């Protein structure tokens, strides 16, 4: 990400009230790693009870992709035999035994009296809605390609652009509308305006969404984030990229645990 794009991304994170996200506790994060690509900005609506449950674990940790797919195969209302689980994935039996062992150790999976596997009720995503924003100053084609990749996990995918090149994106808006990708314009006062509303992609992968939400949890836990490839490019804006989660709307939700996270409040309140 260039410095100009980083400035636009900061504007998006601070001015999303124009997107009318709706009620709930929303967080804005920068450059979260997803299964496909790395969105410049992620807006996540937090499931407060799920977050309370996850942070209440003895050793809270984010789940990996394999663990998520295994949990999605299991049910909380009836047991699943391990042999049935093995037949559902292209993994070796030994690998799945290791995965299930780790999930049981963390309390995400339990065994019934007959050895059947039952998913724990707190084993769910901490974010129930995710919006991705790809930031580009002027290049609409690569922005559209990257935003389409984000649709695998995002409930809505947007591209944000600078007002100086509004004519380029306006001219190409039909391509964005056709693919369900939204457009956000950032003006000279750093205000954000929705030019094209995003649509939910019909082939969104719930497992990919859950994995993306785990990266939100990872940030809330204060885990170290490895340096992303974009930040090593010449002219990149690594020194001014802040990936700490930012609380978008006030007041905090009903959970006092959210307040204890000491998230930075955004000065702009969300429209409800």
């Amino acid at each position: 990400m260039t410095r100009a794009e980083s400035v636009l991304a900061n504007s998006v994170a601070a001015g999303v009230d124009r997107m009318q996200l709706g009620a709930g506790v929303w967080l804005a994060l920068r450059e979260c790693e997803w299964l496909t690509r790395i969105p410049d900005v992620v807006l996540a609506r937090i499931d407060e009870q799920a977050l309370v449950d996850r942070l209440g674990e003895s050793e809270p940790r984010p789940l990996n992709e394999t663990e998520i797919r295994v949990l999605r195969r299991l049910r909380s209302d009836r047991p699943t035999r391990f042999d049935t689980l093995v037949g559902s994935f292209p993994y070796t039996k030994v690998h799945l035994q290791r995965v299930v062992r780790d999930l049981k150790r963390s309390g995400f999976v339990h065994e019934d009296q007959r050895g059947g596997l039952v998913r724990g009720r707190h084993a769910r995503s901490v974010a129930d809605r995710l919006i991705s924003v790809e930031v580009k100053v002027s290049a609409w084609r690569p922005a559209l390609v990257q935003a389409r990749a984000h649709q695998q996990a995002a409930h809505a995918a947007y591209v944000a652009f600078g007002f100086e090149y509004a004519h380029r994106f306006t001219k190409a808006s039909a391509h964005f509308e056709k693919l369900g990708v939204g457009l956000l314009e950032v003006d000279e006062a750093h205000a954000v305006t929705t030019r094209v509303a995003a649509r939910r992609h019909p082939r969104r992968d719930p497992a990919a969404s859950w994995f993306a939400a785990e990266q939100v949890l990872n940030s809330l836990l204060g885990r170290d984030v490895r340096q992303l490839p974009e930040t090593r490019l010449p002219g990149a804006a690594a020194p001014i990229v802040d990936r700490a989660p930012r609380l978008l709307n006030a007041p905090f939700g009903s959970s006092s645990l959210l307040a204890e996270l000491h998230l930075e409040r955004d000065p702009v309140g969300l429209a409800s």
Side-chain angles (χ1 to χ4, degrees):
M1 177 182 289
T2 66
R3 290 186 179 276
E5 290 170 344
S6 184
V7 170
L8 288 178
N10 288 335
S11 298
V12 170
V16 292
D17 61 314
R18 298 292 185 87
M19 296 174 63
Q20 298 184 350
L21 298 179
V25 175
W26 287 83
L27 298 179
L29 301 98
R30 294 285 303 278
E31 296 185 333
C32 277
E33 183 179 3
W34 286 8
L35 290 178
T36 50
R37 292 176 180 265
I38 301 168
D40 294 323
V41 178
V42 173
L43 309 174
R45 185 174 66 189
I46 301 302
D47 181 331
E48 295 182 65
Q49 188 56 56
L51 180 61
V52 170
D53 291 341
R54 294 291 296 276
L55 293 182
E57 298 165 5
S58 58
E59 296 182 3
R61 66 176 181 85
L63 297 163
N64 60 43
E65 181 187 0
T66 304
E67 290 174 327
I68 289 170
R69 296 195 182 279
V70 168
L71 286 172
R72 282 188 51 78
R73 180 63 181 81
L74 299 178
R75 297 182 55 162
S76 59
D77 58 344
R78 70 183 187 192
T80 300
R81 295 178 54 192
F82 179 74
D83 290 342
T84 302
L85 194 65
V86 172
S88 303
F89 296 99
Y91 309 133
T92 65
K93 185 174 183 179
V94 172
H95 178 63
L96 274 179
Q97 286 175 331
R98 188 183 309 116
V99 171
V100 170
R101 180 196 62 201
D102 291 343
L103 289 173
K104 288 195 293 186
R105 183 182 301 158
S106 299
F108 292 109
V109 172
H110 310 283
E111 279 192 19
D112 68 358
Q113 296 179 345
R114 298 183 178 181
L117 302 175
V118 181
R119 187 171 103 179
R121 296 190 179 277
H122 72 290
R124 66 182 193 272
S125 170
V126 300
D128 58 18
R129 184 167 174 80
L130 295 162
I131 298 175
S132 69
V133 183
E134 186 65 28
V135 177
K136 284 289 184 290
V137 174
S138 60
W140 69 266
R141 286 186 178 86
L144 181 57
V145 170
Q146 293 176 33
R148 286 195 68 192
H150 300 160
Q151 287 178 319
Q152 180 188 13
H155 296 84
Y158 283 86
V159 168
F161 60 91
F163 70 97
E164 304 96 326
Y165 296 93
H167 61 286
R168 293 187 182 180
F169 287 86
T170 300
K171 188 176 180 179
S173 62
H175 298 289
F176 288 83
E177 291 177 354
K178 180 179 180 180
L179 297 173
V181 175
L183 280 174
L184 304 174
E185 180 179 344
V186 182
D187 65 23
E188 54 188 339
H190 304 291
V192 181
T193 302
T194 302
R195 296 304 183 193
V196 174
R199 299 195 312 273
R200 180 175 297 194
H201 196 270
R203 287 193 286 272
R204 181 181 62 86
D205 180 3
S209 297
W210 191 345
F211 179 84
E214 292 300 302
Q215 307 318 301
V216 175
L217 176 63
N218 195 51
S219 297
L220 292 173
L221 292 173
R223 301 290 180 87
D224 292 334
V225 180
R226 68 172 181 266
Q227 190 180 33
L228 301 176
E230 292 93 329
T231 64
R232 298 194 293 268
L233 297 174
I240 59 175
V241 172
D242 179 12
R243 298 192 190 92
R246 177 185 297 248
L247 181 72
L248 296 179
N249 54 336
F252 283 91
S254 57
S255 168
S256 61
L257 194 56
L258 282 170
E260 294 173 5
L261 293 172
H262 300 296
L263 298 177
E264 178 184 355
R265 291 176 184 268
D266 192 283
V268 181
L270 291 178
S272 57

